[in-house]
Structures are given as structure tokens and as C-alpha cells.
Amino acid sequence: MANKKTMMHALPVEAYTSQEWFDLEMKHVFSKTWQFAGLVEDVANPGDYISVQAGLNNIFIIKGRDNRLRAFHNMCRHRGTQLLRAVGKAKKAITCPYHDWTYDLEGKLVSIPKKEEEFPDLCNKELHDCGLNLHEASVDIFKGMLFVHPEKNAPSLMEYFKGVEPHLGPHIPEELVEYQEGYYEKEIKANWKIVVENNIDHYHLAHLHEGTLNMYDHDKAQFGWVGPHYWFYEPLVEDYRKDLKNASLTPVIDHVPEDKIGAYVPWFFPNIGLAESEGTWSTFHVTPLAPDRTLVSFRTKVMNSSEWEFTKQAAKSSMSKIWTKYGAKGKYEGDPNTDPMASGDFMEEDVYACEQQQKSLQSPMFSIGAQAQRGEYAMEKFQSVVKEWIEKYKD
């Protein structure tokens, strides 16, 4: 096992390897912060619902008959059975699959099978007045994204994101449409914090991604913190920007001003980021599964253009000399189908680096050699925020 005194800057190595630390984070970080659940269009109509794991809590959002969004803990008040699966449409009522206890879309108990026979002393009032309605949680919207909080009277989401919006890109996600081919999901064999730290590590961009993200001017990157949240922006290199109409892989979003084009990659504490470019707006959701396993998922939105427009843009890009110069190239030579470092895919490069680092944490020889003053400072700040949340609530 790693030396217990070995640190990852602000946190001990055990924070990345032990079940004890993982359990603390589930209880004190993910169960007490606003958690990304999906996009507003996921629950467009009455009866539509989605569910999400928020630390120790499984929570679902459902749209009521009054078109209001509500959030509830996903458990029957009878025996605790999970009520709803991950996603669904046009639900008229919420019925437990175990014993058919039924709730309306507002979370009120409306039916108990064989109530008089099996539960004669349970309640002589209307069922919804018996104190057995669903446990309420909180739901709110930010930039077209749905967030949930396990508490019924949660702190304000707008207060949580106070000061962040000026650092986001000029995109209007509510006016964009989801690009199904842009969906990405993968389980990474690394702790969730390693995945986050990789995302906010400016130092690695020009090195690990020298052939995949070299269209951005990394030396001109700007980044910092607003409360517990990280913001990041870097412009395109000049010759790529000048030929953007030809070089871009997707149609350029028409409401993005030319002087605002670049990469906006903020990270909202604890586990949801954005990736905003000239042609796409994406969410990057990190879900901890175990001390050494993390699920990551991307959802991407683009301008509402025809398939023909995307086909034409891809053709222009493939013939562009600028794309040939800056287009994705693997860091090493090899089989791009089996070697992530030869894939020409920056996500595969990141996954590889994260998993290799996680492996090294078990070595008694592991230690942090140095910290890049500018390019890696965000990692220590992020670790400090995690530590603060745990110490704030830890018994």
C-alpha cells in the first residue's frame, strides 16, 4: 500500500484509493451539493421523468400535470423499493413494482392495495394526509441543465452558481439541439478526482494533446475560480481561426461572435463540466462508482441545422489545408484502434493518462515530484475544496 503520509498536494493518496474516503465523499460532498441530472428537454411533457444518483440518494425529476418540475427520492414509502427506472415518458401515476402502492405525479399517496384488509389501522384520513407521501427533494434549472439536491429546502442554485455566468461561453444551449452522434460514455479505471484534475490541468494540454488539441493557443489560456467552481478559456490559434468556416468539423454556431470563439471549459463543483467550442456545447458528467472506477458521459448540442449542412461541413473540413495541419493526430505511431496514444482522440488520451496514474498510486515509490505554478495550481485548489466540504460536515 502507498505510504499514508504521501500527499496529492492537499489530499492524502488514500483519498484516491480507499473505500473510507469514497464513503465520506458520497456522504458529505455528493449528498450535500447540487447534482447535474440532465437537460430540460429530457422532461418536456407531463409524466416524463429522469433519475440520477446524488451521493447516497437516488432522485427522480418528474413533470406534473400542471407542467411543474418536481423532484422526489426514488423510494416507495412502504418498503423502500426503487419506484422508477432511469428514464421514461408519459407516466400517469407512480406505482411501486413491488406491492403496487401508487402515488400521483405530485408525489402524494393515492392507492394501497387491500388497504382495509392489510392495513386497517394505518390511517383513517385521506391517504395523502397520512404522512406517507414521497420524500421531496429540490430541482432547479441553470443554462438549460437540470440540477437536483437531496434536501427539500436546498440552498439556492442561483446562489451556488453566483458569479460563474460571465465566465461561460456565449452559447445559448436552450436554442441548440442534441447531437446524438456526439454522445459518449465510458467507465474509467481511476478515481473520480483524477478525472476532474485531468480536466482542469492546463499544463498537460500542449503535451499529452500535442496532436489533438493543437488548434488552441494554450499560451493565451485564461482561468481561475469563482467560489468552488473553476472557469477556463483559451482562443484558437490565428490561422485556424481565420479559416474556421472551412476547418471546423461542424457548422459554426451562428450566434457565437467571432471575438468570443474559443474553448470554454468550466468545471462546476463537484462533478459536472462544460465543453464549449465554435460548433458544439457539451456537458461532461463524472459519476463516481468506486474508489478506482468512474463513469464519464458527454452529451453534445449543436446548431439546429439539416443533416445535409453537417455533411457539407465535414466534406469542407476534410479538404481544408488548415484541418490537415491541425487535425487530430496520435501522439505516438501505432494502431489507432488498439492504442489510445495513437488514436488521434483526445478523450482516449485522457483516459489512458488517468488510468496509468491510478495504477501508480498503489506503489510505495509514488510521490508528487513538483507542481507547475500556473498550469497545475487548479488541482490543489480543487483538492482543497473537496477537503473543506468533508471537514465541514464530518462528524
Side-chain angles (χ1 to χ4, degrees):
M1 292 292 293
N3 188 324
K4 289 189 177 182
K5 295 182 180 180
T6 303
M7 300 292 289
M8 294 280 283
H9 303 308
L11 292 174
V13 167
E14 285 72 27
Y16 298 76
T17 60
S18 78
Q19 186 65 45
E20 180 182 2
W21 260 93
F22 185 83
D23 292 342
L24 286 172
E25 291 168 345
M26 291 301 100
K27 182 178 180 181
H28 299 304
V29 178
F30 291 93
S31 295
K32 293 184 171 69
T33 52
W34 283 96
Q35 290 292 300
F36 173 74
L39 305 176
V40 291
E41 52 264 42
D42 294 337
V43 283
N45 302 303
D48 292 355
Y49 66 88
I50 54 173
S51 67
V52 65
Q53 193 68 28
L56 303 178
N57 312 279
N58 191 269
I59 295 172
F60 69 87
I61 301 169
I62 192 163
K63 178 165 280 192
R65 291 164 295 184
D66 55 0
N67 283 303
R68 178 183 165 190
L69 292 175
R70 294 177 175 85
F72 300 101
H73 288 262
N74 195 5
M75 63 176 71
C76 182
R77 293 298 307 276
H78 176 213
R79 295 269 291 278
T81 303
Q82 183 169 302
L83 294 164
L84 298 177
R85 302 185 186 189
V87 63
K89 300 288 184 184
K91 199 80 171 174
K92 294 182 178 179
I94 303 165
T95 300
C96 178
Y98 201 178
H99 301 97
D100 287 337
W101 281 39
T102 299
Y103 307 82
D104 64 19
L105 301 187
E106 289 71 50
K108 295 177 180 178
L109 181 63
V110 295
S111 175
I112 297 177
K114 298 184 178 180
K115 192 271 180 192
E116 299 303 325
E117 177 183 342
E118 298 287 358
F119 308 97
D121 301 321
L122 179 62
C123 181
N124 293 320
K125 306 175 184 178
E126 293 290 333
L127 286 178
H128 64 262
D129 290 327
C130 294
L132 291 172
N133 298 330
L134 297 182
H135 289 299
E136 296 178 50
S138 295
V139 57
D140 209 340
I141 301 170
F142 179 71
K143 299 289 282 186
M145 296 176 285
L146 295 169
F147 286 84
V148 297
H149 195 290
E151 296 177 15
K152 175 183 177 180
N153 299 308
S156 164
L157 181 65
M158 293 304 104
E159 187 66 24
Y160 189 61
F161 285 132
K162 185 178 180 180
V164 167
E165 199 154 3
H167 298 288
L168 305 183
H171 305 72
I172 306 173
E174 297 91 336
E175 296 182 2
L176 305 177
V177 296
E178 188 155 11
Y179 181 53
Q180 297 300 332
E181 293 181 24
Y183 182 79
Y184 175 95
E185 183 175 274
K186 186 163 189 171
E187 185 175 310
I188 300 177
K189 298 174 183 175
N191 184 270
W192 72 276
K193 296 185 295 299
I194 284 182
V195 178
V196 174
E197 289 168 17
N198 172 80
N199 197 73
I200 63 178
D201 175 354
H202 170 248
Y203 184 45
H204 86 288
L205 295 177
H207 306 289
L208 180 64
H209 304 310
E210 63 182 79
T212 51
L213 294 179
N214 60 350
M215 68 286 291
Y216 294 105
D217 194 336
H218 305 307
D219 289 336
K220 294 182 179 178
Q222 303 169 31
F223 44 88
W225 291 83
V226 177
H229 312 296
Y230 173 76
W231 61 269
F232 178 96
Y233 166 77
E234 61 181 5
L236 291 165
V237 296
E238 190 64 18
D239 55 348
Y240 189 91
R241 185 187 64 80
K242 287 181 177 179
D243 196 44
L244 186 58
K245 295 291 185 180
N246 293 315
S248 179
L249 288 173
T250 59
V252 177
I253 296 173
D254 53 17
H255 63 239
V256 178
E258 187 172 341
D259 63 342
K260 298 291 185 181
I261 288 175
Y264 297 81
V265 193
W267 194 265
F268 304 140
F269 186 82
N271 62 323
I272 176 67
L274 300 181
E276 309 179 70
S277 71
E278 70 280 354
T280 61
W281 178 94
S282 302
T283 59
F284 178 26
H285 190 203
V286 169
T287 303
L289 300 177
D292 59 353
R293 289 190 300 115
T294 302
L295 182 69
V296 299
S297 57
F298 268 93
R299 293 179 69 176
T300 296
K301 300 182 82 171
V302 296
M303 193 164 59
N304 191 5
S305 302
S306 68
E307 186 175 342
W308 173 236
E309 289 297 324
F310 277 84
T311 300
K312 286 194 301 181
Q313 186 62 44
K316 282 198 297 184
S317 177
S318 66
M319 294 184 289
S320 167
K321 291 182 179 179
I322 291 296
W323 177 249
T324 300
K325 178 180 178 180
Y326 290 102
K329 304 175 186 67
K331 185 175 177 70
Y332 301 142
E333 292 184 2
D335 184 350
N337 297 311
T338 58
D339 184 354
M341 298 302 286
S343 66
D345 184 328
F346 75 90
M347 271 301 300
E348 293 304 314
E349 293 170 342
D350 280 334
V351 170
Y352 177 80
C354 289
E355 292 186 341
Q356 298 310 306
Q357 186 179 12
Q358 184 72 35
K359 289 179 181 179
S360 294
L361 297 182
Q362 298 295 337
S363 170
M365 301 300 293
F366 174 82
S367 65
I368 297 293
Q371 178 174 305
Q373 291 186 14
R374 181 170 186 263
E376 292 180 316
Y377 98 100
M379 294 169 12
E380 183 169 5
K381 171 65 176 177
F382 167 72
Q383 292 173 16
S384 297
V385 177
V386 172
K387 185 177 180 181
E388 287 170 10
W389 273 85
I390 289 179
E391 292 180 345
K392 178 180 178 181
Y393 292 107
K394 188 176 179 181
D395 296 332

